[in-house]
């Protein structure tokens, strides 16, 4: 039966073919064999798949499923599915419900209409999906029925990755391999895998669906392309952590239920800084599952919002002038026997293993800062990074007082002999408890901050898959850990080599460490002095995918080949071009068919009023109408000129063929600039024209009407 559980306990994971279900439904030998693949990476036996498929089908059908789908994550950034019914015909003209091991393991969706960045021509349509048994299958319930979804990786006929999952799985293997080498040197004999863990905090906006439908820009592009500043924005800071309105809390309740059924451990929810902005954070899990779950979370947010007469905006910058949305990617490494490798313990100065892993991360971030920045680049995020609401576009690491102090000791003496302790925090009221104080304060402005036992990468775009940033993190840290292992494996005096290595990392990479205010202008100047890259746009960032350094590191760890990197470079640029192109065309349409007519109507009203007053023959003052008419007409004339400018820039950019990078530059430098100029006039007109005549909901309507 469908999941009709009422208690959270019963509800959680009721639509997931999880470990408990597998243990219950699979023969012992099959269960064990499958676990070996899931936990130990042992290749899967087709006979095992056959048994699993059958059990999965029975379970799904009992819960009302009629169809199954391979669920995959093509380079569009959203998920894809193609449903097949379980039915198989019998000789007597009826059907039986069947699902074979082959169908579980492999799918063959036509790949020709997914972005491939030139990896294959459209006539070479074949693509394969391959079962990822490390992420559990689940059931999607919707009005159309129940569908068994099987998480899969998606590749081309020639085996090249066409999706976001394949490189992620490869990067997880790469970092596991290198981290195990290091762990072994520290005497760990029990861990057989190192897993990267991720907890993504997801920000989003909710707006009234009816109002949303009246805004072509929101419908077509996910963000407002016009909109004058409302009298009230976020300046009172009354929305952050504010009391949840009932419409919002009932949305959140239903969202949680839906996510819990899917085994997504949605945990924290609150209002964010901007009006109409909210956040959801799950409990962290394995990177691969966290990525799948984040995709499901975004999808569910949209679905559930619609049921409440709302629309969920996941765009990085839906509204100018108030904060946009991001995703905080909390990241750590842990052994499969449960040890968090980034947990400093109480006396980190004595914890050489922790310091070595920490140094691995520091070196990776400094050396591959461009790649990490690239992983957070998209057209939407260009509005946020460096705009004092999100981290600057400059990558740096916040370590906090305690760790910075230890690194300084290492630099000065080669060893560290003490760790600053947090102590107790007395609030000064006897009835309030003394709180154990953290060893370090928080720093909200840092793009890559150490937060106790994990790093928080805060640049990640709200709408994007978290796969990209984690592929980069896993790969670059795999690289530095491999260097560390190479060196320590050869060491004659292990402890001395560890000390030397840590000291070297501090000396060579301390420029990446910055504990101050990342939003300040001083930091931009200081970072430049330190030689840290400041990459302000997606177009520039994406170039780093195909730098020699990038190709070398991705190929060395078998995460992405040169051909795959080039294809991703193309895909990213194309996505940028298409997005800006749609935005420009939407602006042109709104300008010509909505704003210009409204402005003319208003000008007509003013002119009519002037004439009417004059006609009365009374010697009344019409200078106010005349002045407004002049203003409106003047702005309208400038607006019209700017429409033409944007039309020209867009047409020219669209006509550029051959060099995607150059074309993307044209969109950024010509089209995007023309859009800003047009918007300035459009927003000015909004403030002049009779509210009754304004053809779309305003910022005030959108932001304060839920
Ligand atoms: P804040 O807003 O203060 O940063 P949240 O509680 O909203 O904190 O989010 C913190 C996120 O970090 C949660 O998703 C949490 O599960 C995750 N997290 C905690 N420990 C780890 C870890 N070891 N690895 C990855 N993520 C972690
Ligand atoms: Mg956070």
């Amino acid at each position: 039966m469908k999941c009709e559980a009422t208690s959270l306990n019963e509800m959680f994971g009721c639509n997931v073919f999880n470990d408990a279900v597998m243990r219950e439904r699979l023969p012992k030998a099959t269960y064990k064999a499958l676990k070996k693949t899931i936990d130990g990476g042992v290749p899967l036996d087709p006979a095992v798949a056959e048994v699993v498929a059958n059990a999965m089908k029975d379970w799904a059908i009992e819960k009302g499923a009629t169809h199954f789908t391979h669920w995959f994550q093509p380079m569009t950034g959203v998920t894809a599915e193609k449903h097949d019914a379980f039915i198989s015909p019998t000789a007597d003209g009826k059907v039986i419900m069947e699902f074979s091991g082959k169908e579980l393991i492999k799918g063959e969706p036509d790949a020709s209409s997914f972005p491939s960045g030139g990896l294959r021509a459209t006539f070479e349509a074949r693509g394969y999906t391959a079962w990822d048994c490390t992420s559990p299958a689940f059931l999607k319930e919707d009005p159309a029925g129940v569908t068994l979804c099987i998480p899969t990786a998606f590749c081309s006929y020639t085996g090249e990755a066409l999706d976001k999952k394949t490189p992620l799985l490869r990067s997880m293997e790469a970092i596991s391999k290198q981290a195990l080498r290091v762990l072994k040197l520290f005497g760990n004999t029990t861990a057989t895998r190192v897993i990267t863990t991720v907890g993504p905090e997801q920000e989003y906006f909710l707006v009234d669906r009816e109002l949303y439908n009246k805004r072509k820009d929101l419908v077509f592009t996910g963000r407002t392309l016009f909109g004058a500043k409302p009298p009230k924005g976020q300046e009172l800071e009354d929305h952050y952590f504010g009391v949840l309105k009932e419409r919002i809390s009932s949305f959140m309740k239903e969202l949680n239920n839906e996510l819990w059924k899917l085994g997504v451990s949605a945990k924290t929810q609150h209002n964010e800084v901007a009006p109409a902005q909210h956040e959801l954070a799950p409990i962290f899990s394995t990177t691969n599952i966290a990525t799948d779950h984040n995709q499901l979370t975004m999808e569910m947010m949209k679905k559930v919002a619609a049921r409440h007469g709302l629309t969920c905006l996941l765009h990085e910058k839906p509204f100018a002038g108030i904060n946009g949305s991001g995703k905080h990617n909390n990241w750590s490494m842990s052994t499969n026997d449960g040890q968090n490798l980034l947990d400093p313990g109480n006396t980190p100065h004595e914890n050489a293993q922790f310091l070595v892993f920490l140094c691995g991360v520091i070196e990776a971030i400094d050396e591959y800062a461009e790649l990490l920045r690239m992983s957070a680049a998209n057209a939407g995020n260009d509005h946020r990074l460096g705009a004092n609401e999100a981290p600057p576009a400059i990558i740096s690491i916040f370590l906090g007082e305690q760790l910075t102090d230890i690194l300084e000791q290492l630099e000065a003496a080669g060893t560290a002999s003490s760790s600053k302790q947090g102590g107790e925090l007395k609030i000064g009221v006897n009835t309030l408890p003394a709180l154990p104080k953290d060893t370090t304060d928080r720093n909200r402005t840092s793009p890559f901050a150490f937060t106790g036992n994990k790093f928080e990468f805060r640049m990640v775009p709200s709408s994007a898959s978290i796969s990209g940033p984690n592929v980069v993190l896993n790969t670059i840290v795999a690289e530095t850990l491999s260097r560390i292992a190479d060196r320590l494996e050869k060491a004659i005096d292990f402890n001395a080599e560890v000390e030397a290595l840590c000291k070297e990392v501090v000396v060579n990479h301390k420029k990446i460490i910055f504990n101050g205010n990342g939003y300040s202008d001083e930091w931009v100047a200081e970072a430049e002095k330190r030689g840290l890259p400041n990459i302000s746009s997606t177009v520039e960032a994406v170039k780093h995918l195909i730098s020699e350094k990038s190709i070398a590191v991705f190929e060395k760890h078998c995460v992405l080949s040169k051909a795959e990197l080039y294809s991703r470079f193309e895909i990213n640029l194309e996505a940028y071009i298409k997005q800006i192109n749609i935005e420009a065309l939407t602006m042109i349409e709104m300008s010509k068919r909505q704003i210009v007519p409204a402005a003319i109507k208003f000008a007509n009203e003013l002119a009519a009023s002037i004439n009417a007053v004059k006609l009365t023959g009374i010697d009344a003052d019409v200078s106010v109408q005349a002045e407004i008419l002049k203003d409106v007409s003047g702005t309208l004339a400038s607006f019209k000129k700017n429409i033409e400018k944007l039309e020209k820039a867009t047409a020219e950019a669209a006509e550029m063929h051959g060099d995607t990078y150059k074309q993307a530059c044209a969109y950024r430098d010509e089209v995007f600039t023309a859009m800003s100029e047009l918007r300035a006039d459009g927003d000015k007109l909004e403030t002049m024209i009779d509210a009754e005549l304004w053809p779309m909901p305003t910022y005030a309507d959108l932001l304060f009407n839920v």
Side-chain angles (χ1 to χ4, degrees):
M1 266 322 288
K2 264 171 88 166
C3 187
E4 269 150 18
T6 42
S7 78
L8 207 169
N9 250 338
E10 268 177 59
M11 190 190 307
F12 193 85
C14 69
N15 280 340
V16 185
F17 195 72
N18 55 23
D19 194 61
V21 179
M22 289 196 280
R23 200 189 293 262
E24 186 193 311
R25 291 183 172 247
L26 295 176
K28 230 183 194 152
T30 310
Y31 173 78
K32 267 193 177 159
L34 182 62
K35 281 299 269 186
K36 270 194 188 148
T37 303
I38 295 173
D39 298 333
V42 177
L44 188 79
D45 177 354
V48 169
E50 202 60 51
V51 181
V52 177
N54 205 41
M56 223 184 237
K57 175 205 69 185
D58 289 344
W59 169 80
I61 289 174
E62 279 168 37
K63 287 178 167 283
T66 50
H67 288 70
F68 70 92
T69 179
H70 275 199
W71 184 74
F72 58 106
Q73 302 170 26
M75 296 302 294
T76 51
V78 290
T79 57
E81 41 194 79
K82 178 183 153 208
H83 298 190
D84 276 299
F86 285 117
I87 53 171
S88 178
T90 56
D92 57 358
K94 299 201 155 176
V95 289
I96 49 166
M97 304 292 257
E98 260 188 354
F99 183 50
S100 68
K102 213 177 128 246
E103 285 171 303
L104 168 64
I105 291 179
K106 186 175 132 194
E108 269 186 63
D110 185 333
S112 57
S113 295
F114 291 111
S116 82
L119 267 183
R120 32 146 208 69
T122 13
F123 62 89
E124 296 165 330
R126 216 183 265 278
Y128 293 112
T129 48
W131 178 32
D132 167 21
C133 64
T134 62
S135 181
F138 56 91
L139 298 175
K140 262 194 200 175
E141 294 171 350
D142 54 39
V146 180
T147 306
L148 170 66
C149 297
I150 298 148
T152 55
F154 179 47
C155 66
S156 73
Y157 184 61
T158 43
E160 272 124 355
L162 292 176
D163 70 345
K164 306 243 170 196
K165 185 184 274 266
T166 308
L168 185 65
L169 293 173
R170 291 177 185 157
S171 75
M172 288 168 68
E173 286 196 7
I175 194 169
S176 174
K177 189 166 146 198
Q178 302 305 334
L180 280 177
R181 284 176 68 199
V182 176
L183 274 179
K184 216 180 242 159
L185 293 165
F186 280 98
N188 186 320
T189 52
T190 49
T192 54
R193 243 178 133 75
V194 167
I195 297 145
T196 50
T197 50
V198 166
E201 300 161 50
Q202 175 75 48
E203 291 181 334
Y204 61 98
F205 280 83
L206 288 174
V207 296
D208 185 87
R209 196 164 186 78
E210 266 182 42
L211 298 175
Y212 163 90
N213 281 331
K214 290 185 183 147
R215 298 265 330 197
K216 287 193 168 48
D217 46 6
L218 284 180
V219 172
F220 293 139
T221 73
R223 77 177 180 103
T224 53
L225 300 167
F226 290 103
K229 205 174 166 321
K232 180 178 190 263
Q234 65 191 41
E235 57 279 75
L236 294 181
E237 292 165 341
D238 51 353
H239 195 257
Y240 191 49
F241 289 0
V243 176
L244 297 173
K245 289 187 185 151
E246 279 186 18
R247 192 167 171 201
I248 301 299
S249 55
S250 62
F251 158 85
M252 286 179 172
K253 180 176 174 217
E254 192 172 331
L255 176 63
N256 285 336
N257 285 348
E258 293 293 350
L259 291 174
W260 289 337
K261 284 197 252 173
L262 290 167
V264 179
S265 52
K267 175 152 171 90
T268 310
Q269 60 197 29
H270 60 81
N271 285 346
E272 257 300 328
V273 173
Q277 191 187 27
H278 315 278
E279 181 182 297
L280 180 147
I283 297 171
F284 69 95
S285 55
T286 311
T287 310
N288 179 32
I289 294 178
T291 307
D292 285 0
H293 281 182
N294 184 247
Q295 294 296 129
L296 284 176
T297 302
M298 292 193 286
E299 184 183 321
M300 218 30 110
M301 281 176 167
K302 296 201 154 188
K303 256 193 203 170
V304 175
R307 291 182 206 155
H308 291 254
L310 297 164
T311 294
C312 172
L313 305 176
L314 292 169
H315 193 283
E316 289 71 27
K317 193 72 182 176
F319 303 98
I322 62 168
N323 280 12
S325 298
K327 203 138 44 188
H328 290 175
N329 189 83
N330 294 273
W331 178 93
S332 189
M333 299 173 261
S334 82
T335 61
N336 61 336
D337 47 15
Q339 186 192 0
N340 180 350
L341 299 176
L342 291 178
D343 187 346
N346 290 332
T347 50
H349 67 284
E350 292 171 337
N351 190 343
Q353 181 186 300
F354 163 75
L355 290 175
V356 164
F357 277 99
L358 177 70
C359 284
V361 176
I362 294 172
E363 182 175 336
I365 305 304
D366 186 32
E367 210 177 312
Y368 295 98
E370 292 92 347
L371 264 187
L372 196 62
R373 163 70 182 90
M374 180 283 302
S375 77
N378 72 7
N381 233 12
D382 281 1
H383 297 278
R384 295 175 65 236
L385 300 181
N388 285 3
E389 56 168 281
I394 308 158
I395 298 274
S396 66
I397 303 178
F398 170 83
L399 279 185
E401 233 178 285
Q402 188 189 49
L403 295 185
T404 306
D405 171 61
I406 291 171
L407 295 191
E408 278 165 4
Q409 292 181 51
L410 280 172
E411 189 187 6
T415 60
S417 54
S418 65
S419 298
K420 287 190 174 180
Q421 297 298 332
E424 264 189 1
L425 183 72
K426 296 224 168 63
I427 308 177
V429 179
N430 282 335
T431 50
L432 293 177
L435 302 175
K437 198 172 142 186
D438 287 303
T439 50
T440 190
D441 196 2
R442 280 166 173 267
N443 181 323
R444 283 254 159 229
T445 66
S446 175
F448 200 77
F450 187 74
T451 47
N453 57 7
K454 61 188 189 297
F455 277 97
E456 184 169 348
F457 182 34
R458 301 212 182 98
M459 267 188 183
V460 180
S462 54
S463 70
S465 160
I466 54 168
S467 163
N470 288 299
V471 167
V472 169
L473 271 174
N474 293 347
T475 309
I476 62 179
V477 176
E479 168 57 19
T480 49
L481 292 179
S482 83
R483 290 181 204 169
I484 289 171
D486 287 346
R487 186 165 160 183
L488 293 182
E489 278 165 3
K490 279 193 240 117
I492 297 164
D493 181 343
F494 181 74
N495 290 337
E497 196 64 15
V498 164
E499 277 178 12
L501 185 146
C502 291
K503 185 174 172 170
E504 257 176 61
V505 169
V506 180
V507 172
N508 294 337
H509 301 288
K510 65 178 177 195
K511 68 174 192 296
I512 196 78
I513 296 165
F514 176 63
N515 292 329
N517 179 6
Y519 290 178
S520 68
D521 294 336
E522 291 78 31
W523 170 234
V524 177
E526 163 73 15
E528 198 183 335
K529 249 195 251 155
R530 294 190 190 185
L532 300 178
N534 185 355
I535 305 167
S536 62
S537 77
T538 294
V539 183
E540 284 315 295
V542 169
K543 267 200 325 204
H544 293 280
L545 258 177
I546 51 165
S547 67
E548 266 176 41
K549 209 165 146 185
S550 159
I551 295 169
V553 73
F554 280 120
E555 289 211 315
K556 175 175 167 190
H557 296 280
C558 303
V559 174
L560 286 164
S561 67
K562 186 172 174 181
E564 288 170 333
L565 286 164
Y566 268 88
S567 103
R568 271 148 218 261
F569 168 73
E570 282 290 320
I571 290 169
N572 284 340
L573 286 179
E574 274 169 19
Y576 178 86
I577 289 168
K578 285 176 189 162
Q579 189 169 337
I580 306 290
N581 192 56
I582 294 172
E583 287 182 358
L585 295 180
T586 306
M587 266 192 122
I588 293 168
E589 163 147 348
M590 290 169 79
S591 302
K592 286 164 87 165
R593 302 190 54 204
Q594 294 187 284
I595 299 177
V596 168
I600 291 176
K601 244 185 230 163
F602 186 51
N604 276 346
E605 280 184 9
L606 290 165
S609 153
I610 295 169
N611 286 338
V613 173
K614 281 188 179 159
L615 267 178
T616 60
I618 302 167
D619 185 19
D621 185 0
V622 288
S623 65
V624 172
Q625 293 96 310
E627 217 173 282
I628 298 174
L629 179 56
K630 264 195 214 155
D631 265 3
V632 170
S633 305
T635 311
L636 182 59
S638 163
F639 187 65
K640 176 75 176 45
K641 252 192 219 138
N642 281 325
I643 298 174
E644 282 156 18
K645 240 169 125 181
L646 178 59
E647 283 182 312
K648 186 163 169 279
T650 311
E652 280 172 9
E655 275 306 305
M656 290 175 72
H657 296 297
D659 187 335
T660 326
Y661 175 73
K662 267 198 190 145
Q663 191 180 18
C665 288
Y667 272 96
R668 179 194 59 192
D669 301 333
E670 312 302 331
V671 179
F672 192 77
T673 312
M675 282 166 61
S676 308
E677 286 165 8
L678 181 61
R679 174 170 187 154
D681 280 338
D683 290 355
K684 201 165 152 200
L685 285 170
E686 184 188 325
T687 63
M688 300 170 140
I689 289 175
D690 183 349
E692 300 287 323
L693 293 176
W694 192 248
M696 64 194 87
T698 62
Y699 269 28
D701 301 330
L702 289 164
L703 291 168
F704 297 98
N705 250 330
V706 169

